[in-house]
C-alpha cells in the first residue's frame, strides 16, 4: 500500500525543520549545572535566538552569554573576544561554572577553544564565586554536524570528561536521563530517594528552568547538579543512562571506561516495559525491592490501561521529535494498543529504525514506518497518506495536525502553544499514567466534538 | 543594591533631569560576555522581508537560523501564506568544507517549481559569509532559469547588528521597486512602509486611509505582495512607520523616483490621529482632511468611554518600556500618558543618537534611557524605579514576571492589534489586565511588605 511512500524522497532543502541546533542543546544541559552560565562562542544573534526559543517553552529567564564576534574577529580569530567575554561575564555573574559551546561560526573559522581556555586560565585575573576561577567546561557543537539532541549529549559528556575524575567508591548512583522535562527530573530524584539511593543526576535543570516565584530575579538561578557531586561521579556504584542513540550513552561509557563505573544503558523509561526496566535496574543497584508507592503507581497504571483499552485499540498515531523520545513513545503506544504508523525524527543518529522495530515487536499489526533526518514537509506528506487518528510530539507538528484535523498530544520540547510544558511527566509509571490519560482524553474530546449528539458520557 | 552595569557600557545609559548634557552611545557591537537582548543582521532582514507572503524565503545556512525563525511572528496575510514556511538549505559538514553553492542551486530548483513564488529571497547567514559562496551568481542563474526575481539578501549575522539587516532588506526590496506597471495608480496614493500587519494591524490603517479617499499601493511589508512592491514607485507618498526598519527604502525611493516620505506612527490615539492629518495635509486635500477629522471623532467616541474607565484604575502607575526601535517608544510614552501613567524607563535595541535625544526630551525628569540593555541592567532599573508594568518582547517577559511586574508584549510575536484607535483601546485593556491582576499581591517581592505589616 505504501509502496511509493516508503521510498525515501531525499529533498535537498529543509522545510519546517524537526530539529534545532547543537549549541541550543548544549545550553540546556549547561543550565542544569550548579551556578553555570552557558556561553556561546560565536556571533550575538545565535544566543539571542536560542534564548527566545527556550523562553517560549520554559517561561523562565534564560541567560546565555555570547562572545559577540564581529566581522574582524571572524577574520582574525575569536580568541580575544572569548577571553574578554569570560572576564566580563564571570565578574558580573559570580558564576561557579561556565559552559562554553561553540557555534557554526567559530567551528568554521577554526578557533581552538581548548587552547584559548588554557591560555585564559594562565593569564586571567577573574573572580567568580568565592573569589575562585569557575570551572570552564567546553563542548564542541557545530550545528551543521548534528541536532540539539547531540549537542545536549556533547555538553553532558564534556562535563563528565572534564570534571569527573576517578575517585574512591562512595556507593552513590549516577543518573544521566538525557533531555527530559523538569518534572521528569524531579520525579527521578524522588524515585532514587525512595530506593534509599544517593543520586547525582546530570544535568538537573529542574529548578533553573522551572523555578518557584522568588523575591528577585536571580541572576544565577539556584539549583543544578552540584559541582562537587559531578566531580565524584567517577566513584559511583553505577550509572543509569537513558536513551538508545549512541550519543546518549557517551558520558556513561566514559565513566565506565575511565573510572570503572558500571553502566546500565536503559533506553528512555517511557511506558510500562521501559519503566519496569528502570525499576529493575534500581532494585539491582540499591538491593531493595520497588518501594510500595511506586509498585502502587504501576498497579494503577495497569488498571487504567485496562479501563481505557478500547478507546485506544487500533488507533493510528504519528510520532515525531528527538529520536530517543520517539522510540520511547513508540514503545509506550504499542503496548497500550495504538498502532504507531509513522515514527520520525530530524536527527540522523544510528539505529533509529532498528530500535523502533525492537520496541514495537510483537505488539503491532503492521510494520512501523520509521524515518530519520526528516522535516515537517516530509512528515505532512507521509501523514496525508497514512491518515493517522492522532499525533504525538512537540508544538512544531501543530501545522500538520491542524491540516489533518486530528488531535495533537503535546509532549517533549518545545511546547509553545500550550501552558505548562516543563511540568509534563513522561518517565516512569507516573509519566506513563499522565501520557495515557492525555492520549485517551484527546481522542475522547475529538469524538465528543465531532459528534452531533452531545454525549455527556463517553 | 549595587548597580549591575558593565563598566564598559556606562555610556549606553542616561538618566533625564540632571544637568548633564544628553549623551548616549549607541550602535556599538554588543559587549562580549554580556547577555545582550540584541539580535543579528539576519534577524533584521528576516523581520522586514518576512511578511511578503507570496515570496519564497530561503535561508542559506545551517538549520538553526531557520529553526528559530519559523512562524514566530504574527504577520498575517489575506491570501498566500508562503512566508509562514521555514525554508533552509540546512548546510551540513561537507557543504561547509566544499561550499554551499551547489546545494543552494538545487534547493532553489526544488522549491520554486514546488511553490510557484512570485520572487525568492535568499538570506545569507554567518557561515555563508565565511565559506564565500557567490550568492549573487547563483541567484542570477536561478532567476534566469525560473523567470522570477531571485534576490540575495546579504545578512551575514556577524557583519553588524539588526540595523544592518534592515539595510540589507531594503536593498533587496529596492531591486523589485520600479519593475511594475503604475498606470492605473490614482494621484492620492501611498505606500505603507514599516508596518508588518501583526494581528491584522495594516488592515486597520488601510481602512482608515480608504475612508479618507486615499489608495494604498504597496504594503511594506505586512500582508505584502511582490507585484505591489514592483509598482510601489507609482505611489505619491511613502508613509514610514518604525523608522529604523524601512527608512532606507524610503530614502532610496526618494533619491531614485523622487517619492517623498512622511514619518508616522499608528500607535496610540495621539499619533494615529496625527498621522491621518499629516497625510491629508500632504495632499492638500480639504475633503481628505474633513474625512480624517470625522474619522478621528467617530473612532475616539467609540473607545473613549471605556478608556476613561480603565484610566481610573491605572492613573499614577509606573511603566517601563524596552522595544526594538526608538520611534515606537515615543508613541508608547504618549499612550501611557493618555492612561495617566508615568514612564520610568525607556530603551531600545537599535536607536540612534537623535532618537535618544528626542526620547529624553519627551520624558519626564528621572526617566532612565538605555541602549541595548541586558537582563541584569533591566532588572536593576525595574526594581529601582518600582515599576508596575513592563512593555517588551518575549525575552523580557520572564524578567518582569520573576520580579512580580506586569507585562505587555509589544514585539513581533504579539497576537493583539495595538495600532489605530481600536489598538489604543486594546493596549489599554492589556495594560489594565496585567497591572490590575490580583496575582502581584501574592508574589514574594510584593507580598513581603504586607507580610511584615501583618507581623508587626
Ligand atoms: S545553526 Fe549555527 S549559526 Fe545558526 S543559530 Fe545555530 S549555532 Fe548559530
Ligand atoms: S548570528 Fe549568524 S548564525 Fe547566528 S542566527 Fe544570526 S545569521 Fe544565523
Amino acid at each position: 500500500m505504501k509502496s511509493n511512500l516508503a521510498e525515501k524522497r531525499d529533498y535537498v532543502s529543509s522545510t519546517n525543520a524537526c530539529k534545532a541546533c547543537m549549541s541550543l542543546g548544549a545550553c540546556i544541559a549547561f543550565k542544569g549545572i550548579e551556578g553555570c552560565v552557558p556561553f556561546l562562542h560565536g556571533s550575538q544573534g545565535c544566543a539571542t535566538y536560542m534564548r527566545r526559543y527556550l523562553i517560549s517553552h520554559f517561561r523562565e529567564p534564560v541567560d546565555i552569554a555570547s562572545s559577540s564576534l564581529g566581522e574582524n574577529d571572524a577574520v582574525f580569530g575569536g580568541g580575544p573576544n572569548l577571553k574578554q567575554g569570560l572576564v566580563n561575564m564571570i565578574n558580573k555573574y559570580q558564576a561557579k561554572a561556565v559552559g562554553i559551546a561553540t557555534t557554526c561560526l567559530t567551528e568554521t573559522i577554526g578557533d581552538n577553544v581548548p587552547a584559548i581556555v588554557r591560555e585564559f586560565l594562565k593569564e586571567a585575573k577573574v573572580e567568580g564565586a568565592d573569589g575562585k576561577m569557575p570551572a570552564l567546561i567546553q563542548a564542541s557543537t557545530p550545528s551543521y554536524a548534528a541536532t540539539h539532541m547531540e549537542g545536549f549529549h556533547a555538553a553532558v559528556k564534556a562535563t563528565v570528561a572534564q570534571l569527573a575524575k576517578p575517585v574512591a567508591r562512595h556507593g552513590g548512583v549516577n543518573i544521566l536521563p538525557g533531555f527530559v522535562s523538569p518534572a521528569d527530573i524531579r520525579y527521578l530524584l524522588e524515585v532514587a530517594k525512595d530506593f534509599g539511593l544517593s543520586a547525582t543526576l546530570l544535568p538537573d535543570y529542574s529548578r533553573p528552568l522551572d523555578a518557584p516565584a522568588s523575591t528577585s530575579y536571580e541572576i544565577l538561578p539556584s539549583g543544578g547538579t552540584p559541582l562537587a557531586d559531578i566531580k565524584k561521579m567517577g566513584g559511583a556504584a553505577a550509572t543509569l543512562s537513558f536513551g538508545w542513540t549512541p550519543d546518549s550513552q557517551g558520558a556513561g561509557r566514559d565513566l565506565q571506561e575511565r573510572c570503572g563505573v558500571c553502566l546500565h544503558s536503559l533506553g528512555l523509561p517511557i511506558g510500562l516495559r521501559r519503566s519496569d526496566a528502570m525499576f529493575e535496574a534500581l532494585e539491582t543497584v540499591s538491593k531493595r525491592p520497588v518501594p510500595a508507592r511506586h509498585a502502587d503507581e504501576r498497579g494503577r497504571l495497569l488498571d487504567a490501561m485496562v479501563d481505557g483499552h478500547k478507546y485506544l485499540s487500533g488507533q493510528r498515531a504519528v510520532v515525531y521529535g528527538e529520536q530517543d523520545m520517539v522510540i520511547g513513545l513508540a514503545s509506550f503506544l504499542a503496548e497500550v494498543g495504538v498502532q504507531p504508523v509513522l515514527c520520525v525524527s530530524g536527527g540522523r543518529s544510528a539505529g533509529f529504525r532498528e530500535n523502533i522495530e525492537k520496541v514495537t515487536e510483537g505488539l503491532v499489526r503492521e510494520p512501523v514506518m520509521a524515518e530519520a533526518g526528516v522535516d515537517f514537509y516530509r512528515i505532512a506528506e507521509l501523514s496525508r497518506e497514512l491518515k493517522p487518528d492522532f499525533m504525538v510530539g512537540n508544538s512544531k507538528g501543530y501545522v500538520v495536525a491542524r491540516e489533518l484535523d486530528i488531535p495533537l498530544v503535546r509532549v517533549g520540547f518545545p511546547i509553545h502553544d500550550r501552558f505548562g510544558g516543563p511540568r509534563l511527566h513522561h518517565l516512569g509509571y507516573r509519566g506513563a499514567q499522565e501520557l495515557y490519560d492525555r492520549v485517551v482524553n484527546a481522542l475522547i474530546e475529538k469524538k465528543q466534538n465531532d459528534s452531533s449528539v452531545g454525549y455527556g458520557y463517553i | 543594591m549595587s548597580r549591575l552595569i558593565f563598566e564598559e557600557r556606562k555610556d549606553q545609559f542616561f538618566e533625564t533631569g540632571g544637568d548633564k548634557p544628553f549623551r548616549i552611545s549607541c550602535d556599538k557591537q554588543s559587549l562580549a560576555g554580556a547577555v545582550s537582548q540584541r539580535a543579528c543582521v539576519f534577524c533584521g532582514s528576516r523581520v522586514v522581508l518576512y511578511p511578503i507572503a507570496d515570496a519564497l524565503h530561503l535561508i542559506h545556512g545551517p538549520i538553526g537560523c531557520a529553526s528559530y525563525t519559523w512562524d514566530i511572528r504574527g504577520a498575517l496575510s489575506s491570501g498566500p501564506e508562503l512566508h509562514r514556511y521555514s525554508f533552509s538549505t540546512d548546510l551540513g559538514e561537507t557543504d561547509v568544507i566544499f561550499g554551499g553553492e551547489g546545494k543552494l542551486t538545487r534547493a532553489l530548483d526544488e522549491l520554486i517549481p514546488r511553490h510557484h513564488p512570485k520572487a525568492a529571497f535568499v538570506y545569507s547567514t554567518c557561515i555563508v559569509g565565511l565559506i564565500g559562496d557567490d550568492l549573487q551568481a547563483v541567484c542570477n542563474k536561478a532567476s534566469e532559469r525560473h523567470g522570477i526575481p531571485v534576490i540575495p539578501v546579504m545578512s551575514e549575522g556577524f557583519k553588524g547588528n539588526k540595523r544592518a539587516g534592515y539595510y540589507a532588506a531594503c536593498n533587496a526590496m529596492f531591486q523589485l521597486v520600479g519593475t511594475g506597471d503604475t498606470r492605473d495608480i490614482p494621484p492620492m496614493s501611498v505606500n505603507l512602509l514599516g508596518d508588518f500587519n501583526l494581528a491584522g494591524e495594516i488592515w486597520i490603517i488601510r481602512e482608515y486611509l480608504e475612508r479618507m479617499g486615499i489608495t494604498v499601493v504597496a504594503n511594506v511589508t505586512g500582508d505584502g505582495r511582490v507585484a505591489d512592491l514592483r509598482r510601489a514607485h507609482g505611489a505619491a507618498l511613502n508613509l514610514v512607520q518604525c523608522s529604523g526598519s524601512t527608512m532606507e527604502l524610503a530614502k532610496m525611493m526618494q533619491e531614485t523616483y523622487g517619492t517623498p516620505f512622511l514619518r508616522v506612527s499608528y500607535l496610540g490615539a495621539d499619533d494615529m490621529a496625527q498621522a491621518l492629518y499629516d497625510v491629508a495635509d500632504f495632499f492638500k486635500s480639504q475633503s481628505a482632511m474633513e474625512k480624517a477629522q470625522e474619522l478621528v471623532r467617530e473612532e475616539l467616541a467609540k473607545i473613549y468611554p471605556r478608556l476613561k474607565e480603565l484610566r481610573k484604575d491605572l492613573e499614577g502607575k509606573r511603566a517601563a518600556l524596552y522595544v526594538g526601535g526608538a520611534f515606537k517608544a515615543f508613541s508608547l510614552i504618549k499612550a501611557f500618558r493618555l492612561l495617566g501613567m508615568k514612564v520610568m524607563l525607556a530603551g531600545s535595541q537599535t536607536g540612534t543618537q537623535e532618537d535618544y535625544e528626542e526620547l529624553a526630551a519627551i520624558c519626564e525628569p528621572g526617566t532612565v534611557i538605555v541602549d541595548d540593555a541586558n537582563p541584569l541592567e533591566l532588572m536593576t532599573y525595574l526594581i529601582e524605579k518600582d515599576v508596575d508594568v513592563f512593555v517588551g518582547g518575549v525575552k523580557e517577559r520572564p524578567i518582569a514576571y520573576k520580579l512580580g511586574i506586569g507585562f505587555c508584549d509589544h514585539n513581533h510575536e504579539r497576537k493583539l492589534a495595538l495600532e489605530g484607535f481600536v489598538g489604543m483601546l486594546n493596549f489599554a485593556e492589556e495594560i489594565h489586565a496585567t497591572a490590575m491582576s490580583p496575582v502581584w499581591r501574592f508574589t514574594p517581592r510584593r507580598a513581603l511588605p504586607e507580610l511584615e505589616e501583618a507581623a508587626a
Side-chain angles (χ1 to χ4, degrees), chain A residues 21 23 46 50 102-105 141 143, chain B residues 62-65 68 126-127:
Chain A
C21 61
S23 338
C46 311
M50 287 179 214
T102 54
T103 59
C104 305
L105 178 70
T141 48
S143 297
Chain B
I63 200 65
C65 324
Y68 303 133
C126 286
I127 290 302

Side-chain angles (χ1 to χ4, degrees), chain A residues 142-160:
Chain A
S143 297
Y144 47 72
T147 73
H148 62 295
M149 206 55 252
E150 287 80 10
F152 180 96
H153 294 308
V156 174
K157 188 172 174 205
T159 306
V160 166

Side-chain angles (χ1 to χ4, degrees), chain A residues 43 45-46 49, chain B residues 40 42 65 125-126 155 157:
Chain A
S43 19
C46 311
Y49 272 138
Chain B
C40 62
F42 161 68
C65 324
T125 60
C126 286
S155 53

Side-chain angles (χ1 to χ4, degrees), chain B residues 321-431:
Chain B
L321 46 102
Y322 186 74
V323 291
F327 212 57
K328 198 192 244 172
F330 304 148
S331 300
L332 287 175
I333 290 168
K334 287 183 221 165
F336 273 122
R337 207 171 283 158
L338 194 62
L339 298 177
M341 295 173 65
K342 283 186 278 205
V343 173
M344 309 307 297
L345 168 114
S348 94
Q349 285 172 37
T350 54
T352 62
Q353 172 75 25
E354 303 89 77
D355 289 338
Y356 288 118
E357 264 174 44
E358 213 175 318
L359 206 56
I362 64 165
C363 284
E364 283 167 51
T367 306
V368 175
I369 314 272
V370 300
D371 173 57
D372 185 26
N374 66 54
L376 287 179
E377 297 158 348
L378 287 175
M379 172 189 77
T380 310
Y381 283 118
L382 290 176
I383 294 175
E384 191 183 302
K385 298 291 179 186
D386 194 19
V387 162
D388 297 294
V389 183
F390 185 41
V391 180
V394 168
K395 290 189 299 289
E396 285 81 48
R397 184 179 62 200
I399 303 174
Y401 284 174
K402 275 286 174 244
L403 295 174
I405 292 172
F407 182 79
C408 166
D409 183 1
H410 209 288
N411 227 320
H412 55 219
E413 286 168 63
R414 68 189 136 96
K415 306 287 178 286
L416 186 73
L418 296 176
E419 290 181 2
F421 298 99
V422 47
M424 176 69 218
L425 184 58
N426 289 344
F427 178 66
E429 295 277 11
E430 175 92 349
I431 295 294

Side-chain angles (χ1 to χ4, degrees), chain A residues 27-42:
Chain A
C27 289
I28 296 168
F30 287 139
K31 285 299 282 182
I33 296 169
E34 174 197 19
C36 182
V37 180
F39 190 114
L40 281 188
H41 185 35

Side-chain angles (χ1 to χ4, degrees), chain A residues 5-17:
Chain A
L5 256 187
E7 245 172 70
K8 172 107 172 73
R9 294 266 306 275
D10 234 329
Y11 294 114
V12 181
S13 59
S14 154
T15 305
N16 299 348

Side-chain angles (χ1 to χ4, degrees), chain A residues 93-402:
Chain A
Y93 278 80
Q94 299 287 292
K96 291 186 187 157
V98 183
I100 306 167
T102 54
T103 59
C104 305
L105 178 70
T106 44
E107 289 284 343
T108 308
I109 62 178
D111 270 2
N112 183 346
V113 175
I116 298 169
V117 168
R118 270 196 302 277
E119 276 171 41
F120 174 77
L121 288 171
K122 262 190 240 147
E123 307 159 357
K125 287 187 228 37
V126 291
E127 297 200 346
D130 328 317
K132 279 192 251 150
M133 171 68 81
L136 303 181
I137 308 160
Q138 326 123 36
S140 165
T141 48
S143 297
Y144 47 72
T147 73
H148 62 295
M149 206 55 252
E150 287 80 10
F152 180 96
H153 294 308
V156 174
K157 188 172 174 205
T159 306
V160 166
Q162 291 161 41
L163 298 184
K165 299 278 165 338
V167 291
R169 293 267 161 253
H170 52 68
V173 53
N174 303 322
I175 303 178
L176 302 171
F179 184 23
V180 296
S181 77
D184 288 325
I185 293 176
R186 286 191 284 269
Y187 167 75
L188 291 172
L189 288 170
E190 187 186 313
V191 171
K193 201 167 153 208
D194 292 344
F195 271 98
L197 289 165
S198 135
T200 298
L201 185 149
L202 180 74
D204 176 5
Y205 41 82
S206 64
R207 193 181 171 102
L209 290 180
D210 194 12
S214 71
T215 46
S216 74
Y217 168 45
E218 289 181 300
I219 300 160
L220 210 54
S222 50
T225 318
L227 286 161
D229 293 0
I230 299 175
K231 289 179 185 154
K232 288 193 301 195
M233 285 174 87
T239 301
L240 306 192
S241 176
F242 301 161
W244 287 269
T245 54
D247 289 79
S248 69
Q249 301 306 308
R253 221 170 274 136
D254 177 43
L255 284 165
Q256 184 175 41
E257 281 159 19
R258 270 192 312 123
C259 312
V261 184
C262 168
L263 174 64
H264 298 259
S265 286
L266 288 171
L268 265 189
I270 297 182
L272 185 72
R273 293 167 302 155
R274 303 317 313 169
S275 299
D276 283 348
M278 174 180 82
F279 278 93
E280 263 164 45
L282 286 164
E283 282 184 309
T284 310
V285 175
S286 68
K287 304 188 182 65
R288 287 193 197 181
V290 175
R293 66 193 194 109
H294 296 289
D296 278 357
E297 281 191 1
R298 183 181 193 278
R300 276 193 290 271
L301 168 65
L302 262 178
D303 193 53
M305 281 165 65
V306 172
D307 291 342
H309 73 279
K310 276 195 276 179
Y311 294 112
L312 299 185
S313 186
Q315 296 287 313
R316 298 152 61 80
V318 166
V319 191
Y320 60 88
E322 295 115 11
Q323 293 179 79
D324 285 320
M325 179 66 94
V326 172
I327 301 167
L329 288 167
S331 170
F332 159 74
L333 290 171
E335 67 198 20
V336 298
V338 171
Q339 166 76 37
V341 284
L342 176 65
C343 291
V344 279
S345 175
R348 290 181 189 272
S349 279
F352 182 61
R353 197 172 308 207
E354 294 74 10
N355 280 311
I356 292 282
E357 221 168 89
K358 222 190 289 166
V359 297
T360 56
E361 205 187 318
L363 296 168
V364 291
R365 297 223 173 78
E366 323 163 14
V368 182
M369 191 171 171
E371 271 189 24
V374 301
D375 58 16
F376 279 99
Y377 186 79
R378 176 73 178 156
I379 296 175
E381 179 179 73
L382 291 170
S383 300
R384 272 176 221 126
E385 293 272 341
L386 293 166
K387 301 200 176 17
D389 298 295
F390 67 105
M391 298 178 78
V392 186
N394 54 49
S395 289
K396 296 292 177 197
Y398 172 64
V399 196
V400 183
R402 182 183 157 98

